Amino acid sequence: MYAANDPRAALNTATARSNPAPTAYKGAEYARFYDAPPQEATGGSETYYARGQNLVVAHTRGKAGLMLSRVNQPDEYVVLLPNRNTPVEVRWNGRSIAVDGYCIVVVPPGDSEVHLKGDGEVVRLVTTRAGDLVAKCSNAASYIDPDPNVPPFQAWPDPASGHKLRRYSLDVPPEPGRFGVIFRCSTIMVNFLPGSGPRDITKMSPHFHDDFEQYSLCVAGSYIHYLRWPWISDLNAWRADDAELCAAPSVAVIPPPAIHTSRSMDPVKNVLVDIFSPPRADFSAKPGWVLNADDYPAPDNIAR
C-alpha cells in the first residue's frame, strides 16, 4: 500500500478488528467551504460547519474583533491556526494565552473564548458531543443514521498534569522516519503534513482503516481524494468509486474501511491536515511520532 520510503510502511497493520466485519457502508462527506453559503456570518466574518461521526470541523474566515465562544463545552477541543500572522488570544478559566498563528491550541472543557486580534483563518475541531455545533453542520442530515463501522466514541486519558491551555507550534523540522507533525489531546489527533507541489502519481499510497474516520482538511492548494469501498457478499451495499476534487478550504470525511489516497494538484503549494477523533492508536505507538506524548498519556492497551 505504501512506497518503501513512506514512514507509514513500518506501521503494525496486523491488529485485530475492534468491531465486526462490515455489512453496510457509509459514504464519504465533502464540505467545500468556498462553494456554499456559510452557516454563520457576522461583521464580515464567515463560519462553516461540517461533521463526521465523531468530529465537527468549524472553519472561520474571521475579521479582527471576532469572538468565538464555547459555553459548557463537555471535553477538550483544538484551535488550529494553519497560517502565520494570525494573532489570536484564547481564554479559559481566568487564564489566557496569545499566539501569532501557525500553531494549535488545546482548550480544556468548560467555558472558553477565542478572540481574533487580526484578520485570519481559524479552524476549531470539536467532538460531536457538542450538540449545539452538530445542529449547525451543513451535512447534519447525513448522520441521522450513524456510520455502522465506527465504534462509539471513547476519549483518551486526561492530560498528565491536569487541564490547562496548551500551545504547540507547527514550526517543527522534518525528521527521517517520522510522518508529519503530530499532536494529540484526549479527544483529537492532528497531523499537519508538510506543503508540497503536485504529487508523483507513481507514488500514491492507497490504504484503509478498519474502524476509524480520517478527516482530510485542505488548507492550501487542492487535492483529488480517491476512495474505493471493498466488495462484500451483499451487492446492494456496493458503492461506486469516488474521485473528488477539493480545493482550500475544504474537508473530506473518509469513512472506514474505504480504501483511500489523495493527490495534491496545485503546481506550487498544497497543504493537507489529517485529523482523527479519538487519537489514532498506531501513530501513537510509534516512538517519537506524537510530539506532545509526554503531556497526554495513551490508554493502557496502546502498545508503545
Side-chain angles (χ1 to χ4, degrees), residues 2-303:
Y2 299 113
N5 62 347
D6 189 316
R8 292 170 295 175
L11 291 172
N12 177 17
T13 57
T15 55
R17 296 182 60 92
S18 63
N19 61 340
T23 59
Y25 292 131
K26 174 79 175 66
E29 295 287 318
Y30 305 98
R32 298 170 175 88
F33 300 138
Y34 54 89
D35 198 27
Q39 282 68 63
E40 292 177 347
T42 179
S45 298
E46 297 180 338
T47 299
Y48 298 78
Y49 296 90
R51 65 164 293 186
Q53 180 67 38
N54 288 343
L55 192 73
V56 172
V57 178
H59 181 278
T60 299
R61 289 192 285 259
K63 297 293 186 180
L66 179 68
M67 182 185 74
L68 303 167
S69 64
R70 297 296 303 141
V71 177
N72 294 325
Q73 169 63 28
D75 49 17
E76 286 186 311
Y77 71 98
V78 168
V79 177
L80 166 65
L81 303 173
N83 302 307
R84 303 179 193 277
N85 303 316
T86 310
V88 165
E89 182 182 9
V90 184
R91 301 174 185 173
W92 170 81
N93 197 30
R95 301 176 177 89
S96 68
I97 59 172
V99 297
D100 293 324
Y102 207 59
C103 68
I104 71 168
V105 178
V106 178
V107 186
D111 298 349
S112 58
E113 299 172 346
V114 179
H115 293 257
L116 277 68
K117 302 300 184 180
D119 298 352
E121 182 178 9
V122 178
V123 182
R124 288 170 295 158
L125 308 172
V126 188
T127 72
T128 50
R129 293 181 65 197
D132 60 322
L133 299 189
V134 167
K136 297 179 181 182
C137 290
S138 59
N139 63 334
S142 297
Y143 291 87
I144 292 174
D145 296 319
D147 188 325
N149 301 311
V150 176
F153 175 82
Q154 186 172 358
W156 282 27
D158 285 340
S161 59
H163 285 302
K164 63 181 179 180
L165 293 169
R166 290 178 165 85
R167 172 196 180 275
Y168 301 105
S169 173
L170 297 172
D171 261 324
V172 179
E175 182 177 310
R178 193 189 69 220
F179 183 62
V181 175
I182 303 175
F183 297 101
R184 71 173 184 237
C185 65
S186 62
T187 54
I188 294 162
M189 173 180 281
V190 174
N191 185 13
F192 197 92
L193 298 165
S196 67
R199 187 165 189 175
D200 180 348
I201 62 172
T202 69
K203 296 180 180 179
M204 304 297 286
S205 56
H207 62 283
F208 68 95
H209 312 303
D210 273 339
D211 58 4
F212 60 86
E213 302 170 299
Q214 177 173 313
Y215 297 71
S216 286
L217 175 70
C218 176
V219 295
S222 61
Y223 289 80
I224 298 177
H225 301 294
Y226 298 97
L227 282 81
R228 170 170 289 180
W229 284 260
W231 289 352
I232 56 176
S233 58
D234 183 359
L235 187 146
N236 294 301
W238 293 9
R239 299 187 65 92
D241 293 353
D242 281 3
E244 293 280 342
L245 176 64
C246 295
S250 64
V251 64
V253 183
I254 300 170
I259 302 165
H260 59 279
T261 189
S262 296
R263 176 185 174 190
S264 52
M265 299 297 293
D266 189 90
V268 177
K269 184 179 181 181
N270 302 273
V271 179
L272 198 66
V273 185
D274 284 342
I275 304 156
F276 308 93
S277 180
R280 188 168 165 170
D282 56 352
F283 281 7
S284 295
K286 294 292 291 182
W289 278 29
V290 178
L291 299 174
N292 66 336
D294 290 344
D295 292 343
Y296 284 93
D300 291 339
N301 62 335
I302 302 299

